[in-house]
Amino acid sequence: MRSIVRNQAAAEDVQRLRAQLERVQGRRMDAPVLPADPALAGLLPGRGLRPGSAYSLGPSLTLLSALLAPPSQAGSWCGVVGMPEFGAEAAERVGVDLDKLVLIPEPGTRWLAVTSAVAEVLPVVAVRPPSRARDADISRLAARLRERGAVLLVQGTWPQTEAMIDVSDPVWSGVGDGYGYLAARELTVTVSSRRTPVPRRARVQLPASSGQVAAASTPVPRSAPMPLPIRAAG
């Protein structure tokens, strides 16, 4: 009987601590996530994109499209801010639903205000910061994301991110001895998160011969680099 009481007290302590963490973070720790491709889901904390969170991405537009594709296919509107070279046709080949995509290629100097406004109405927003943002402005945007339950995908470093996602070691296939067509690209995806002490890595085809994402059978190269530390955009 004593052990049961002790266990109950411990469970109540855990629940109180969890409630405190949720109040600080502004979101439920077990809240549903936006979907991710199966080839990437196992690398992400919670196996998807967590509403109210920001993610820092490497410069690959194909990686960005691969992250936008499942939410858009599930009915979530996505916005892309400050990326004039983002190609709608290429994104569609990776699986992005163009009927759920909004492009704002040239937001100008008020890119952060534009991003914040878009996050008011769209559940997924991607942005490439052209300049360093003030800490106070970043904090206000983070509060807006938590309030609206939106996901922010930042091409570049960004403070207090849920995870940093990047690609490395690309290898193309499909070309023989001086002839043929590029058919697929295999690379290493690395996800570094505060929730996991060791970065997660996997080889994926991005794009696969189908144009979308697929798991690769080859192991991660030993030379796969560690991700850069997460810091303010500059």
Side-chain angles (χ1 to χ4, degrees), residues 36-60:
D37 189 276
L40 302 176
L43 303 175
L44 298 172
R47 299 187 61 82
L49 300 176
R50 198 178 298 274
S53 300
Y55 294 80
S56 181
L57 310 183
S60 171

Side-chain angles (χ1 to χ4, degrees), residues 46-195:
R47 299 187 61 82
L49 300 176
R50 198 178 298 274
S53 300
Y55 294 80
S56 181
L57 310 183
S60 171
L61 291 175
T62 309
L63 172 63
L64 173 59
S65 295
L67 293 170
L68 295 176
S72 70
Q73 292 171 4
S76 295
W77 281 82
C78 303
V80 178
V81 180
M83 302 184 201
E85 73 280 21
F86 185 89
E89 184 177 348
E92 185 178 32
R93 284 199 299 269
V94 179
V96 176
D97 183 353
L98 299 186
D99 289 336
K100 298 293 183 181
L101 182 65
V102 176
L103 299 179
I104 307 174
E106 301 287 353
T109 58
R110 292 179 55 79
W111 63 270
L112 191 60
V114 172
T115 301
S116 183
V118 173
E120 281 276 359
V121 293
L122 301 186
V124 185
V125 182
V127 63
R128 179 187 297 153
S131 59
R132 181 184 176 89
R134 296 185 305 172
D135 291 343
D137 293 333
I138 292 174
S139 296
R140 281 193 288 271
L141 177 55
R144 183 70 52 81
L145 295 174
R146 291 192 296 267
E147 177 186 352
R148 307 299 296 181
V151 170
L152 181 68
L153 304 175
V154 182
Q155 271 206 341
T157 52
W158 194 256
Q160 300 179 357
T161 55
E162 181 73 15
M164 182 170 184
I165 311 168
D166 205 353
V167 298
S168 60
D169 302 310
V171 177
W172 283 95
S173 62
V175 177
D177 296 330
Y179 64 91
Y181 297 93
L182 295 174
R185 181 180 61 174
E186 187 175 296
L187 41 71
T188 299
V189 178
T190 302
V191 177
S192 178
S193 170
R194 293 174 296 172
R195 296 177 182 270

